Amino acid sequence: GVWGAGRVRDRCRQNQSCGLAGHPVLIIMAEAEGVVTHQSGASRLMESVFCAVCGAPLLLLGASFLLGMNEKHAVCESRAIASGEEVVKEVGCDQVGSDTLVLFSCDIKKDGLTFGPDWTGYSMSLANFLPADMSYQGTGLQVSVEMLQCVETAHSTTTKDKSGGGGETTVTTYTYSKEWVSHAVDSYTFSNTSSQSFINACGAQNPGWPAGTPTSETLYAPKVKVGAFTLEGQMVSEIPLDAPVALKNFPGWSSAGAGTWMNDDHAVKPTTFGGASIGTLRVRLSGTDWTKPKLTVLGHEEKGVIRTWKAPSSWLCSGFHLSHTYRGQMSKEDLFDAMQNASDTMLWVMRVLGLGLMWCGFGLIAKPLGVVADCIPLCGPCLGDAVDSITCALSCLPATACCFLVAGVVWVVMRPMVGGPMLLISVAIFGVLAFQKAQRKAGGGGGGGDELA
């Protein structure tokens, strides 16, 4: 573990040494503002071998599963969007009874939208917290409760032992700042409350979360009328809640701007700085923007109620749904283009994530090589850095090939014309790697650098 600065200094003065002889991991305190952790070469090597043998296969399997499911989801979602665009029916604000996928742009009606016990997420604790005479109408109410608290941030810097041996030294420093946080932060677990950073930035411990004060919550009306149609459940939660809610009064709280109130009854009063004190509470209420009541809604209409639309099942695709709520007016073409663009963006985000995981997996397999190089006396750190750079670059090739392989297999099964080229790219990369290996063997192995590669 990591000891507090004062305790470590006292222990070091008594024993004249902060080292732990015979242990692969040493923890000492260099100065009051930072913690120094040393890990020996033997410990690093054992750790890297464990990661290569156990961690890397799990990471590669997980990345393969993630990539495969991502490609399948993208194909199925694209099919659902295309199917929806073919069958959707654009209707007027009072044209109910279509019993199909409909698209309309109408104004939200205020009828039945008064805040009350029938709202989703309503609780007596929240009702007792809000003003008793509160009268609010909207599709939902977002209650954000935050406390100004002291927050700890750790910054670590790791350097290799210059003399070789494979060891690493990590210096961890802790800085402190005041931030608005929506949950209680226990400052008594901080690592260095005696530091100048804590004294200057905070100056006091965080108080506990006040009894009777709720955490941040979002509540929704059970039903919302849009034109002659009724939205329920998930459709209601998609309506934006970004307009400040005005209240006539909020007993015990002072106004701090539109929709914002503050209370310092539980605040600590440090003398080291000015401004808002630790423990000050802030509440922000936001709801429906009635200056922009028009919504564009896509969903399955049945007897005037709008729900998500289930796309027809196809090869390896079933259970995909479509629904969308957009503030303002949007044409059919623009709406479906936006949905497809969002799907494509998520597809590429997950592809990049999958490639990164694959790359890390192959990097873990080669990690012990860099640690072994670090253990060489004198030139170890420089050689280890070179080995790490080479293995990192080389790991990109099999990672890319595996990504194309997984994606290609999925697309060949679902869309052969797209998946075929992906498989060809994967085979080409593996072929290049195999050809280079065969050339090195035919040439007698080459130099040490070639053997390492």
Side-chain angles (χ1 to χ4, degrees), residues 359-360 362-363 366-367 385-399:
W359 198 343
C360 289
F362 283 105
K367 185 63 177 175
D385 290 341
V387 172
D388 287 338
S389 299
I390 293 172
T391 55
C392 178
L394 292 178
S395 298
C396 182
L397 291 176

Side-chain angles (χ1 to χ4, degrees), residues 254-428:
S254 58
S255 178
T260 304
W261 290 265
M262 298 180 69
N263 180 297
D264 61 359
D265 290 347
H266 303 276
V268 181
K269 306 294 184 181
T271 59
T272 55
F273 56 86
S277 301
I278 290 177
T280 300
L281 291 170
R282 181 176 69 180
V283 175
R284 290 182 293 182
L285 303 179
S286 55
T288 305
D289 187 354
W290 289 109
T291 64
K292 302 174 182 178
K294 187 174 292 295
L295 288 181
T296 297
V297 179
L298 173 72
H300 183 266
E301 185 266 327
E302 182 179 2
K303 297 181 180 180
V305 179
I306 306 297
R307 298 184 177 91
T308 58
W309 176 76
K310 185 177 181 180
S313 298
S314 59
W315 171 244
L316 296 178
C317 295
S318 61
F320 276 77
H321 295 76
L322 283 185
S323 65
H324 190 78
T325 302
Y326 174 81
R327 184 164 60 189
Q329 188 158 355
M330 181 179 283
S331 66
K332 168 186 170 181
E333 293 75 16
D334 291 342
L335 178 62
F336 279 92
D337 285 345
M339 294 173 67
Q340 186 60 57
N341 290 337
S343 177
D344 293 341
T345 299
M346 182 56 63
L347 169 65
W348 280 101
V349 168
M350 298 305 293
R351 280 176 174 173
V352 172
L353 177 60
L355 174 60
L357 293 176
M358 282 279 189
W359 198 343
C360 289
F362 283 105
L364 287 177
I365 294 176
K367 185 63 177 175
L369 296 176
V371 178
V372 170
D374 285 337
C375 294
I376 299 175
L378 300 180
C379 65
C382 294
L383 183 58
D385 290 341
V387 172
D388 287 338
S389 299
I390 293 172
T391 55
C392 178
L394 292 178
S395 298
C396 182
L397 291 176
T400 303
C402 287
C403 287
F404 276 108
L405 177 63
V406 173
V409 168
V410 175
W411 282 82
V412 161
V413 174
M414 306 187 75
R415 287 186 177 179
M417 296 301 293
V418 179
M422 290 186 176
L423 280 182
L424 290 177
I425 294 174
S426 176
V427 171

